[in-house]
Amino acid sequence: MDLGLSEEQELLKNSAREFLEKECPEEHVRAMEEDEKGYSPELWKKMADLGWQGLMIPEEHGGAGFSFLDLAVLVEEFGRALVPGPFIPNQVAAAILLAAGSDAQKKKYLPKLADGSSIFTYAFTEPSGRWDRDGVQMKLEGGKLNGTKLFVPDAAVADYIVTAARKGNDMVAVVVPRSAVQVTVLKTIASDKQAEVVYKDVAVADDDVMAVPQAVGDTIRNQATVLECAYLVGLAQKDFEISVNYAKERVQFGRPIGSFQAIQHKAADMVTDVDGMRFIMYKAAWATSEGEDSAQMDVAMAKAWCSDASRRVVAHGQQIHGGIGFTKDYVIQLFFRRQKRAELFWGDGDFHRERVAQMLEI
């Protein structure tokens, strides 16, 4: 396992950073919080033209044919720029179609996803709020779906919602048009357009149902979880950089606060956490991309660490800024609020430590 980026990955990272610094500045992030859609169709089109939506989709379906590890490199830059909108849910939907879809389903949906002409999201959690397989209780019976999904990302702007459900004793994923369900946008700390989605006698065609056996479901969950880790790594890195720059400029008692040992200790703790996050995330991303036997354990450890470490990083960032950091005038609060969303999605630190304990049979 070589955790160094290849030349191609370095080019992807650097070009993505340059593009997002120009196209997704702080002003754009703030504007999308107030925007009803929560994303910019113009920016979405530009990203599609770069091939990002179809990055890991095979070329035969209109994608770029890159690996999942390459996608993790890109999503780290999305976390750094706090890119709003449905990009990550779109990639999770792609992962579901790639892992569980038939050839006909891939041919039908993946080209739309790859060229950005259709937006996809996924619906997994229910009122129980559980992120494990047993948390899915919605049933597909008589060709119809009934029930409620919660915390569905960007459901209000999605064209299709890939919905986790049960058909008898089996797990399935169902491609449902947004027009067939009732969507209510929820108010969240991150202002990120999560939604409640209600299914009432939603008719489902047989060719829109995908079987999701345990092993396939584990692969999909690993990919979705690693993407949240990658986002957190980029977010935490940028939070650290902003905080260090502020400590160099903020003067108190006639000297920059960065000269005080207490601030230096916080900065040292932040960079230690960020470096650890990056190492463990890429280890999990590599194991997932390569289909390694250790992927389940690697992903659980990565999400447990990234969830907790990123929370420490943004807390230190707030403390370095002091009270002013909690005002909306300062950019640092944007990172604080979005960290909480990514920390909780696909399970927090406690959830994944329990998974590690179960795999170790403790």
Side-chain angles (χ1 to χ4, degrees), residues 44-208:
W44 185 260
K45 176 66 166 59
K46 289 179 181 178
M47 292 192 299
D49 290 343
L50 290 170
W52 289 356
Q53 271 86 335
L55 195 71
M56 69 171 180
I57 294 174
E59 293 181 9
E60 64 189 277
H61 296 302
F66 282 44
S67 70
F68 175 75
L69 182 59
D70 298 323
L71 179 62
V73 173
L74 178 61
V75 171
E76 180 182 346
E77 294 305 313
F78 272 63
R80 181 184 178 87
L82 299 181
V83 178
F87 183 82
I88 292 179
N90 218 52
Q91 297 309 306
V92 174
I96 297 169
L97 286 162
L98 288 169
S102 65
D103 289 341
Q105 289 164 337
K106 293 175 183 177
K107 185 176 180 180
K108 179 179 179 181
Y109 290 115
L110 286 178
K112 300 178 183 180
L113 197 156
D115 66 12
S117 59
S118 293
I119 295 175
F120 288 71
T121 188
Y122 64 91
F124 188 87
T125 48
E126 299 182 7
S128 67
R130 294 176 59 173
W131 285 101
D132 58 4
R133 197 176 178 90
D134 293 338
V136 177
Q137 296 299 318
M138 178 180 285
K139 297 187 183 299
L140 174 60
E141 295 179 325
K144 293 184 178 180
L145 279 173
N146 283 282
T148 300
K149 292 290 186 179
L150 285 178
F151 317 120
V152 181
D154 300 284
V157 297
D159 298 293
Y160 300 97
I161 302 174
V162 184
T163 306
R166 293 192 175 274
K167 186 176 182 181
N169 294 324
D170 299 325
M171 182 80 78
V172 294
V174 186
V175 182
V176 178
R178 175 174 54 86
S179 58
V181 299
Q182 299 175 11
V183 177
T184 303
V185 177
L186 304 172
K187 189 173 183 178
T188 66
I189 187 174
S191 299
D192 61 342
K193 308 302 185 287
Q194 295 178 45
E196 175 191 70
V197 180
V198 178
Y199 301 70
K200 290 185 178 179
D201 293 326
V202 175
V204 174
D206 289 341
D207 57 2
D208 281 332

Side-chain angles (χ1 to χ4, degrees), residues 236 239-240 270 273-274 277 309-318:
D239 189 287
F240 164 72
M270 291 171 79
D273 274 335
V274 172
M277 288 172 63
S310 63
R311 187 173 68 246
R312 291 193 296 266
V313 169
V314 297
H316 284 321
Q318 293 297 136

Side-chain angles (χ1 to χ4, degrees), residues 77 175 183 244 263 275 281 294 336:
E77 294 305 313
V175 182
V183 177
V244 168
I263 298 298
D275 286 348
M281 181 276 286
S294 64
F336 184 91

Side-chain angles (χ1 to χ4, degrees), residues 251-255 260:
V251 174
Q252 186 66 278
F253 305 113
R255 37 194 296 214
F260 300 134

